[in-house]
Amino acid sequence: MSALTSPCRAIAPALYAIAAAHQGKLAVYKLHVDAHAKLSAAFRIRSIPALRVFQRG
């Protein structure tokens, strides 16, 4: 599978659309798991793409 068709890249347009539709109500963040291994481990991310939803913090 090439980088252009990876699941992470495939889901990005949908996430950008959700973020735009709900601007000011929610935030969408991306995290490069290799560059931020400690944070990835803290959220127990074991495979990608991984989505986490937080309410009130």
Side-chain angles (χ1 to χ4, degrees):
M1 183 177 302
S2 74
L4 295 176
T5 60
S6 72
C8 294
R9 291 190 187 266
I11 200 169
L15 291 176
Y16 293 143
I18 291 168
H22 299 282
Q23 191 172 13
K25 298 177 190 171
L26 61 85
V28 175
Y29 296 95
K30 294 186 334 180
L31 175 71
H32 190 282
V33 296
D34 293 331
H36 302 283
K38 287 183 181 180
L39 188 57
S40 299
F43 286 109
R44 298 181 183 151
I45 295 173
R46 294 192 175 98
S47 63
I48 53 174
L51 302 175
R52 299 294 189 261
V53 178
F54 301 94
Q55 185 175 6
R56 296 185 196 112

